[in-house]
Amino acid sequence: MRHAIAVTAICLAAGLMVMGVGCPPPQTPATPGPDVAPGGEKVQLQMWTIWNTEPRKSALDEIVADFERANPDIDVVVTNVEPDAYKNRIRVAIGSGDPPDVFFVWSGEWLHNFVRGGNVLPITDALSANGGEWRSRVMGDALKWYTFGGETYGIPFLRQCTFFFYNTDLFARDQVEIPETWDEFLAVCETVRRPDVAPIALGNSVKWPAHHYVSCLWQRLMGQEQLMSDFDPLGPGAYDSPGYVQGLRMFQDLVARDVFNRAPNGTTRENARALFYTGKAAMFYTGTWDFNSFREGGEAPEDFWDSWDWFNFPAVPGGEGDQEAIHGGADGYVISSKTAHPDAAIQFLQHLNSLESAQLFVDRCRELVLVNGAVTEENADDALLKYARQVEAAPTIVPWADTLMERSVAEVLLSGCQALIEGSTTPEQIMDEIRARQAEVKQRLEELGGTDVSQGPGEELAKLAAIAESPDAAAEITGHSEDWKSVTVRVTPPGGAEPTTVDLQWTESGYQTVTRPENDSQ
């Protein structure tokens, strides 16, 4: 008999319940017939996703194939993009007026900015149809991060959370107990240190991993209500709480204690992960997206498969935030407001968000899908069952700062954390820069009507187009026509690589690029 993890009060009280008892029914609601293309041709939906590696890629392909068999008049064309490159590429597509019909989003301000620009289709009516059956399918309060002004935009699909993963063999060797407070955590770092073992692996070459420490410390110190007030780019917040500097100082203290591997800013996430599973680091603060790297069949060696576990970010005594909160996000999918086939796109999202698709994804990927009944004792291992129960019992799940801040303000924080590691800035300087940038952003958004998504040819979109596949590169405009339809951009990759010159030409599908070496004649 199959048992399922659920999040309703009835299911929580009963633990693992038999599917269908006290839980929302799994059936997909009836939807309008799909749009019909001119001439009776098949409807084609373009879908962009960051699921570009296995097993996610194959799982999505299987879900799409199931949908196409059930809906022979609709084709779904999937484009898989590397996550860091995706952040620029989707903004270029939206700004160029040629977005995919369905696309991946991170929740929070990252999505809200697109919503304010009128770029995302609300699906509130579809969620509420048939007595709200579709809405009741979504676990917990995940939909709140996709709801703005009373309208819901898109579907959260995966719950990703960050924890301190630790090597159980190394902790047992040193007789280390799981730390519950920040001081206990600092003591653990000293206990597990060895000449050949760093306390914590950190790969911060892409900037955002280090900021997770600061994000969690801010929540523990100040509470989510304070953070939400300050993070809102059009809100009243002024980042004037002393907790901001305190949190940055606590991270700076970690760096001063030499708890990380050498040169974290020059270490990739992949290399940091390898330091952890090869026993060269006792802990690794990462997300549940790394489960499959540590499990059987992942990149970790066999002797590590049963040698890892995790614990929540430690409490900060005296802090005003919920000390048992878990940090995480609800990754999902939305529909472009410019789609020519809204009914077909909604029908596909309903299929993606069905119990059958969710259980297939869990079975293939062993990740926490935000559909009631998706995780069962038959399709999940012990790690996923433990994680699902943690999420179910969590008093609150708090998104990371970089998903809630306006993107350019978040970039100040991310760059500031890198600079703290290098010793080239101070917490006070970072907060001064954040406050100044926030003021600039608020003024610009008020002038632009609430969104910074560039529409049509212009400087910002040209820069993004030039570095769409190279998110860490720097872009500088070196020439452009008066109407910005012809632009030349100098792109400097990180690490001192040879610069290139990118020529951009505006077309009906946005900027098209031609790249040439920097030393070519212009």
Side-chain angles (χ1 to χ4, degrees):
M1 184 175 294
R2 177 168 293 186
H3 298 269
I5 299 291
V7 295
T8 62
I10 295 175
C11 293
L12 178 60
L16 296 172
M17 300 291 290
V18 176
M19 279 174 48
V21 180
C23 301
Q27 289 78 19
T28 301
T31 59
D35 310 272
V36 178
E41 299 175 359
K42 283 188 176 183
V43 166
Q44 187 177 91
L45 296 177
Q46 296 291 332
M47 178 188 190
W48 285 14
T49 178
I50 67 166
W51 297 348
N52 68 321
T53 58
E54 298 298 349
R56 289 180 178 177
K57 185 176 183 297
S58 293
L60 178 60
D61 289 344
E62 194 170 346
I63 290 170
V64 167
D66 288 344
F67 176 77
E68 291 177 337
R69 279 191 291 271
N71 299 274
D73 294 330
I74 307 175
D75 280 340
V76 180
V77 180
V78 178
T79 299
N80 310 89
V81 184
E82 191 279 327
D84 289 310
Y86 178 84
K87 296 172 184 177
N88 281 347
R89 187 167 172 183
I90 189 63
R91 293 185 64 233
V92 170
I94 289 174
S96 298
D98 189 27
D101 301 280
V102 177
F103 57 95
F104 174 92
V105 293
W106 289 275
S107 56
E109 172 59 24
W110 205 88
L111 167 60
H112 195 189
N113 184 48
F114 291 156
V115 170
R116 288 198 304 266
N119 297 293
V120 184
L121 186 74
I123 60 170
T124 311
D125 291 343
L127 284 165
S128 301
N130 299 320
E133 191 282 321
W134 187 12
R135 181 181 299 276
S136 69
R137 224 185 294 164
V138 182
M139 287 178 62
D141 65 351
L143 278 172
K144 81 175 184 179
W145 300 106
Y146 286 67
T147 301
F148 307 95
E151 294 281 1
T152 302
Y153 300 83
I155 285 297
F157 189 82
L158 284 180
R159 172 66 77 190
Q160 304 283 8
C161 294
T162 45
F163 298 98
F164 273 104
F165 288 74
Y166 67 96
N167 185 312
T168 55
D169 293 339
L170 295 181
F171 270 45
R173 177 198 67 185
D174 296 320
Q175 299 181 332
V176 171
E177 299 290 334
I178 301 302
E180 295 184 357
T181 68
W182 188 250
D183 286 343
E184 291 175 359
F185 171 69
L186 295 179
V188 166
C189 289
E190 294 305 314
T191 301
V192 299
R193 184 194 305 276
R194 291 288 189 278
D196 60 341
V197 178
I200 309 172
L202 174 59
N204 198 49
S205 62
V206 289
K207 295 185 179 181
W208 55 261
H211 113 282
H212 281 167
Y213 291 81
V214 175
S215 180
C216 293
L217 287 166
W218 281 353
Q219 180 274 325
R220 296 292 197 251
L221 289 165
M222 294 175 285
Q224 191 63 8
E225 184 176 346
Q226 175 71 54
L227 299 181
M228 293 299 291
S229 174
D230 288 324
F231 290 166
D232 183 353
L234 290 171
Y239 288 98
D240 54 5
S241 169
Y244 288 108
V245 168
Q246 183 181 352
L248 287 163
R249 284 177 178 168
M250 291 171 73
F251 175 69
Q252 187 181 40
D253 179 59
L254 279 184
V255 176
R257 289 171 180 266
D258 200 25
V259 303
F260 301 119
N261 49 279
R262 287 190 294 177
N265 288 340
T267 303
T268 65
R269 290 186 296 140
E270 294 76 15
N271 288 342
R273 189 166 59 233
L275 289 174
F276 176 58
Y277 63 64
T278 58
K280 296 178 181 178
M283 292 177 284
F284 182 31
Y285 192 70
T286 188
T288 48
W289 52 79
D290 274 331
F291 271 172
N292 283 325
S293 297
F294 305 147
R295 290 179 169 121
E296 180 178 355
E299 63 191 58
E302 183 176 355
D303 61 6
F304 187 76
W305 293 346
D306 297 319
S307 298
W308 58 278
D309 205 339
W310 66 88
F311 58 87
N312 197 14
F313 199 90
V316 177
E320 297 180 9
D322 190 327
Q323 302 302 309
E324 296 182 358
I326 292 176
H327 289 255
D331 301 347
Y333 290 90
V334 299
I335 298 171
S336 168
S337 60
K338 293 182 172 59
T339 181
H341 310 294
D343 290 341
I346 288 174
Q347 191 170 349
F348 174 68
L349 273 195
Q350 289 176 318
H351 172 80
L352 179 65
N353 198 229
S354 69
L355 181 62
E356 292 77 12
S357 295
Q359 289 183 339
L360 184 155
F361 196 92
V362 173
D363 182 66
R364 304 294 188 271
C365 304
R366 289 180 291 181
E367 295 193 68
L368 182 53
V369 179
L370 288 164
V371 172
N372 287 311
V375 176
T376 74
E377 289 184 330
E378 292 182 1
N379 64 14
D381 60 4
D382 290 342
L384 181 53
L385 289 172
K386 173 186 173 179
Y387 171 44
R389 292 177 182 123
Q390 275 186 289
V391 167
E392 195 171 52
T396 184
I397 297 177
V398 179
W400 307 290
D402 68 335
T403 66
L404 295 177
M405 291 172 144
E406 189 273 339
R407 61 176 183 81
S408 66
V409 180
E411 181 63 26
V412 174
L413 173 61
L414 270 56
S415 297
C417 290
Q418 271 200 334
L420 277 181
I421 292 172
E422 295 168 354
S424 59
T425 192
T426 68
E428 291 80 5
Q429 289 173 327
I430 293 172
M431 290 314 304
D432 285 345
E433 292 178 26
I434 285 177
R435 282 188 284 269
R437 184 60 185 149
Q438 179 85 342
E440 294 172 2
V441 165
K442 186 173 184 177
Q443 179 179 353
R444 187 181 78 242
L445 290 180
E446 289 175 343
E447 293 171 352
L448 295 176
T451 183
D452 64 355
V453 178
S454 300
Q455 300 287 344
E459 179 178 3
E460 182 179 10
L461 193 59
K463 287 181 177 180
L464 286 172
I467 62 172
E469 304 298 334
S470 305
D472 292 329
E476 177 187 2
I477 304 293
T478 59
H480 63 88
S481 61
E482 185 175 353
D483 59 5
W484 284 91
K485 290 186 176 180
S486 296
V487 187
T488 301
V489 187
R490 187 170 186 261
V491 175
T492 305
E498 182 76 13
T500 59
T501 295
V502 179
D503 292 325
L504 300 152
Q505 186 64 46
W506 184 261
T507 70
E508 291 183 356
S509 299
Y511 279 117
Q512 303 296 316
T513 66
V514 177
T515 306
R516 63 184 181 216
E518 175 67 15
N519 56 8
D520 279 6
S521 59
Q522 306 231 357

